[in-house]
Amino acid sequence: IPETVGEAGVVLPSKEPALVAAAVHRVVGDPALRDRMVAAGRARAAEFSLARTKGQFASAMAAVLGSGS
């Protein structure tokens, strides 16, 4: 899912082994790219906290249920 991966990874068709292999070689062979992707992945992962998820779920449920009104 590109919107989830962002700059932290490479999104490819799963049934294209040559494209997957090329992407792996590119990341493995480019330390600067790899470092940027690692940093982006850590930053992206930090956005997914339990507290944030609970808050978003509660807001969605309130919207669906009408907040008791």
Side-chain angles (χ1 to χ4, degrees):
I1 302 174
E3 60 273 12
T4 301
V5 173
E7 299 297 318
V10 180
V11 179
L12 302 163
S14 62
K15 296 184 180 186
E16 296 289 340
L19 292 177
V20 174
V24 169
H25 282 122
R26 180 173 170 235
V27 173
V28 169
D30 187 341
L33 173 62
R34 186 174 58 245
D35 290 346
R36 286 193 307 273
M37 291 175 77
V38 167
R42 288 183 177 146
R44 186 73 175 126
E47 295 177 21
F48 295 95
S49 70
L50 181 57
R52 180 174 181 226
T53 301
K54 285 170 38 179
Q56 289 176 329
F57 180 76
S59 295
M61 290 304 294
V64 168
L65 299 175
S67 300
S69 302

